[in-house]
Amino acid sequence: MTAEIIDITTDREKALERACAVLANGFPVAIPTETVYGLAADATNPAAITRIYETKGRPRFNPLICHMADLAMAERYAVFDPVSRKLAETFWPGPLTLILPLRSESGIHSLATAGLDTVGIRLPRGFAADLIRAYGKPLAAPSANTSGGVSPTSARHVADDLGDKLKLVIDGGAAPVGVESTILRVEGGAIRLLRPGGVAAAEIETATGLTVIRPEGPAAIIEAPGMLASHYAPGASVRLNADHVEPGEVLIRLGAVPVKGIEQAAAIFDLSPSGDLAEAAANLFDYLKRADATGATRIAVTPIPGHGLGEAINDRLARAAAPRK
Ligand code: TXA
Ligand code: MG
């Protein structure tokens, strides 16, 4: 099988029609979202969800985010507390996922939630939202990449990785945010950060007046099991906080920071010449893939500030650099 690729800039209506048909037949479709490309399937259809896990090689204990068209649709599947509703009203549609109690007999299949009594919900922007509206049911969608690998931010990334396993890839251009959604869970009125992402913690604190509670260590985020192991891993190994380049390394840097031995770098990628963290996030996965494609065995990365989207960038880099199985 080789995936059909439809570009929404020229064939948006056809893309919606074809995607709805493939979804209705119980197959996943790779779709653009503002964060990363998703591998979307009907969240109420167990055969379709099984195909997501198979296509990615993803462990089935790792639940999927269910994507909704609007808040009214989300309320049919999950129960909102006041803080979660405020977050939804402020940041949706956008790169925020809320973990919420699942309504009983909601119709979302337990394969999508990995049997949990909660569900991760997000309202995406753009084509993805239009598709959910046209299809009429929530779409379960993880990132459209082989489990453990770097997430795709273009249709080309998806086609290179999974093209021979998919029927349809929708091309919506480069994903503007570039890192996955921020995942939050509200409990007892307190906001816990399960995964940093496209909405910075400071924005959440400003919107709610509440402090975002970060997990104390990796063990604390067991609720998001996909986040524990080595993840986002390119083929090359990754060396963080580099202040120098070793022979044969590719360099990923942020702006014109001084780097010793830079002339030895096999290639240099600058996440944002002006040091802008939103631009850096948008380029991160593409540059990791490009650095990998040079064939270098190691990627050295200069320090990234921790504020704003830097928290999500550092989270993904730490997982890319984590010891592999
Ligand atoms: O931006 C994104 O969030 C992208 C786009 C496609 O929407 N999706 C994405 O999905 O990053 P995925 O599967 O790569 O990451 C979803 C994370 C996993 O770590 C999973 O464990 C967690 O969300 N998750 C899903 N449902 C959960 C639940 N009920 N409780 C706790 N964690 C949950
Ligand atoms: Mg993923």
Side-chain angles (χ1 to χ4, degrees), residues 36 41 145 168 174 226:
V36 300
N145 56 280
L168 182 61

Side-chain angles (χ1 to χ4, degrees), residues 31 33-39 56 58 61-67 95-97 99-100 112-113 116-122 124 141-145 151 179-183 185 194-195 222-228 231-232 316:
I31 59 166
T33 87
E34 73 276 49
T35 57
V36 300
Y37 276 65
L39 188 60
K56 284 182 59 88
R58 178 181 175 110
F61 56 77
N62 191 3
L64 307 174
I65 294 171
C66 292
H67 297 70
L96 176 73
T97 295
I99 306 299
L100 299 165
T113 57
L116 299 174
D117 54 12
T118 55
V119 59
I121 289 189
R122 177 163 110 75
S143 51
N145 56 280
S151 300
V179 291
E180 293 84 349
S181 58
T182 301
I183 304 183
R185 180 163 186 179
L194 299 186
R195 176 177 76 180
I222 196 105
E223 285 166 278
M227 305 311 300
L228 281 179
H231 228 76
Y232 308 98
R316 303 307 187 272

Side-chain angles (χ1 to χ4, degrees), residues 103-126:
R103 281 194 195 282
S104 54
E105 293 170 50
S106 71
I108 289 182
H109 197 271
S110 62
L111 277 170
T113 57
L116 299 174
D117 54 12
T118 55
V119 59
I121 289 189
R122 177 163 110 75
L123 260 68
R125 291 187 191 133

Side-chain angles (χ1 to χ4, degrees), residues 6 75 133 228 230 280:
I6 304 179
E75 304 232 31
R133 208 164 289 118
L228 281 179
S230 155

Side-chain angles (χ1 to χ4, degrees), residues 177 254 272 274-282 304-311 313:
V177 177
L254 178 67
S272 168
S274 67
D276 178 69
L277 291 169
E279 182 183 18
I304 310 289
H307 62 263
L309 290 191
E311 184 172 9
I313 295 171

